[in-house]
């Protein structure tokens, strides 16, 4: 089968699995293709200069870009998947099936109708639950214990097409969104390959989604990522996990922005303060009262400072008994979406 792949996943072995099954990849599409090594250097420098203790990220297992170049598969930039000139380009490829996994554009009727057999999309949740653009964030924030991936027929309605295949994944108690997403990508590679094979063999049996069970979450906003100190320590810790490894947890205290990189909940622990209050303090760590249990903050910074300046300010600006704000400052960008 001749396929066109739309995906911006860099760490993904879907291509080799397709090739091993005898399929032909006409091209690999993403919105833009960075410059490779230069981009990696820029990302590394940004990480070094912006945080005293960088967030731990999952180690890549595969380099999609290098594999595509080795296999001489065209890498196509596509700023607009619905542009008439791009649709004409796709028609010229004479493809059987389009496969999509993590591609931040909405496909309209013209592109959906271009391949002979339609379009498969792989969504990182168990549809019809957690439709929308950032399911990993919402699942971990909401304390879910089960995630998954779903291959479905793509339609104009987002994440609503008939289900072709699904796989459950258990969310680890301390797993963050990046770690979960990496596992979802690799599960998706196998599940998508099996779905493409089934399409080739004529054995797929799509089933409609149960719309009554559908839940949809949009892009997270600043208000969605601000800790509620009246909530439990576990809820705040879940929010931190939902943001990692891309972002720290942002809290506010006495007009200062506090970037929290590492923390652990102490559920059911004895308390003697009020929610948000700093109970104890040691070098680089804080113990903070929540509405249920305490949160041990193991690594944090007072923005925008780093290094020895930050460590000095931690001693001066966060005295015992001070209390984190229960909401972001009124002048902050609380209504804006987080990219």
């Amino acid at each position: 089968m001749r396929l066109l792949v739309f995906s911006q996943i860099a760490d993904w072995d879907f291509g080799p699995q397709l090739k091993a099954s005898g399929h032909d990849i006409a091209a690999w599409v993403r919105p833009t293709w960075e410059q490779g090594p230069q981009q990696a250097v820029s990302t590394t420098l940004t990480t070094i200069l912006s945080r005293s203790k960088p967030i731990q990220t999952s180690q890549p297992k595969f380099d999609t870009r290098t594999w595509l170049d080795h296999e001489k598969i065209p890498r196509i930039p596509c700023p607009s998947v619905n542009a008439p000139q791009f649709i004409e380009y796709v028609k010229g490829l004479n493809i059987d099936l389009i496969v999509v996994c993590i591609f931040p554009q909405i496909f309209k009727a013209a592109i959906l109708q271009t391949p002979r057999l339609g379009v498969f999309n792989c969504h990182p949740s168990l549809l019809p639950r957690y439709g929308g653009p950032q399911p990993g964030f919402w699942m971990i924030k909401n304390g879910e214990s089960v995630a998954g991936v779903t291959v479905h027929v793509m339609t104009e309605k987002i994440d609503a097409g008939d289900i072709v295949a699904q796989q459950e994944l258990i969310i680890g108690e301390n797993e963050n969104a990046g770690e979960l997403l990496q596992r979802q990508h690799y599960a998706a590679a196998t599940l998508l390959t099996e779905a493409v094979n089934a399409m080739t063999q004529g054995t797929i049996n799509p089933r409609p989604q149960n719309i009554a069970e559908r839940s949809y979450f949009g892009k997270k906003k600043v208000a969605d990522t601000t800790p509620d100190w009246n909530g439990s320590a576990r809820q705040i810790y879940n929010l931190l996990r939902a943001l990692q490894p891309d972002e720290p947890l942002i809290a506010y205290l006495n007009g200062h922005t506090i970037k929290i990189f590492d923390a652990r909940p102490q559920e059911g622990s004895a308390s003697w303060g009020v929610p948000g209050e700093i109970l104890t303090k040691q070098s680089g760590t804080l113990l903070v009262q929540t509405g249920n249990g305490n949160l041990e903050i193991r690594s944090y910074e007072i923005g925008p400072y780093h290094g020895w300046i930050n460590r000095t300010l931690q001693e001066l600006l966060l005295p015992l008994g001070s209390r984190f704000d229960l909401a972001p400052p009124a002048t902050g960008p609380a209504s804006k979406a987080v990219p």
Side-chain angles (χ1 to χ4, degrees):
M1 184 174 295
R2 185 168 169 82
L3 298 99
L4 182 62
V5 178
F6 288 73
S7 178
Q8 61 179 22
I9 306 172
D11 175 17
W12 202 34
D13 66 344
F14 178 51
Q17 293 197 41
L18 280 179
K19 294 282 285 187
S21 296
H23 303 295
D24 176 33
I25 303 174
W28 198 286
V29 184
R30 62 181 297 168
T32 60
W33 287 92
E34 296 84 358
Q35 295 301 313
Q38 292 181 356
Q39 179 71 18
V41 170
S42 174
T43 300
T44 300
L45 287 175
T46 300
T47 300
I48 292 172
L49 295 175
S50 65
R51 303 187 184 105
S52 60
K53 287 190 176 181
I55 298 173
Q56 295 299 312
T57 58
S58 301
Q59 290 299 314
K61 300 178 181 178
F62 186 81
D63 186 345
T64 299
R65 181 193 181 103
T66 299
W67 181 83
L68 291 171
D69 289 345
H70 179 267
E71 297 293 325
K72 296 181 171 52
I73 296 172
R75 294 185 284 105
I76 307 301
C78 178
S80 175
V81 71
N82 301 298
Q85 60 270 31
F86 181 75
I87 293 172
E88 288 303 312
Y89 165 77
V90 174
K91 288 179 179 178
L93 294 176
N94 191 30
I95 57 172
D96 300 306
L97 184 70
I98 285 177
V99 176
V100 184
C101 188
I102 313 299
F103 193 86
Q105 296 183 30
I106 296 174
F107 287 55
K108 296 183 179 179
I111 187 68
L112 292 173
Q113 295 168 3
T114 300
R116 182 173 63 89
L117 298 174
V119 182
F120 280 171
N121 179 55
C122 193
H123 182 75
S125 81
L126 294 174
L127 292 174
R129 301 187 68 228
Y130 287 98
Q134 297 171 319
F137 167 81
W138 294 106
M139 285 188 286
I140 292 180
K141 179 184 177 181
N142 293 343
E144 300 284 2
S145 60
V146 177
V149 289
T150 300
V151 176
H152 66 96
V153 177
M154 182 179 275
T155 64
E156 287 192 84
K157 187 172 182 181
I158 297 173
D159 300 332
D162 290 355
I163 293 173
V164 175
Q166 287 187 311
Q167 179 181 340
E168 285 190 359
L169 294 172
I170 301 300
I171 302 175
E173 184 179 2
N174 297 311
E175 189 171 33
N176 67 40
E179 293 165 339
L180 172 62
L181 189 59
Q182 184 184 54
R183 291 201 297 122
Q184 288 175 307
H185 289 167
Y186 279 83
T190 300
L191 201 66
L192 271 170
T193 302
E194 292 172 353
V196 173
N197 291 341
M199 175 68 87
T200 303
Q201 298 159 8
T203 58
I204 69 164
N205 186 27
R207 56 183 174 84
Q209 294 189 40
N210 184 347
I211 300 303
E213 296 178 357
R214 178 174 170 83
S215 61
Y216 183 93
F217 294 83
K219 289 186 177 181
K220 63 182 183 291
K221 297 180 174 60
V222 170
D224 300 317
T225 66
T226 303
D228 177 8
W229 297 101
N230 284 315
S232 70
R234 168 56 62 172
Q235 288 172 324
I236 298 173
Y237 175 58
N238 286 345
L239 177 58
L240 172 63
R241 292 168 53 221
L243 293 168
Q244 289 182 325
D246 298 321
E247 307 168 44
L249 178 63
I250 302 295
Y252 305 91
L253 194 156
N254 296 334
H256 302 292
T257 298
I258 312 300
K259 299 179 180 181
I260 300 172
F261 297 104
D262 186 21
R264 287 293 185 274
Q266 296 182 356
E267 299 170 277
S269 54
S271 61
W272 58 91
V274 296
E277 182 179 346
I278 297 176
L279 302 177
T280 64
K281 176 180 177 180
Q282 297 179 354
S283 178
T285 67
L286 302 170
L287 186 67
V288 182
Q289 174 68 49
T290 73
N292 182 5
N294 300 328
L295 186 72
E296 180 190 4
I297 299 175
R298 298 178 174 183
S299 176
Y300 70 98
E301 285 187 348
I302 302 174
Y305 309 103
H306 313 288
W308 69 269
I309 296 177
N310 189 77
R311 290 191 294 271
T312 301
L313 291 176
Q314 288 179 9
E315 297 299 321
L316 298 174
L317 299 180
L318 305 180
L320 288 178
S322 55
R323 186 181 182 190
F324 281 91
D325 300 343
L326 298 181
T331 55
S335 63
K336 293 183 179 179
V338 177

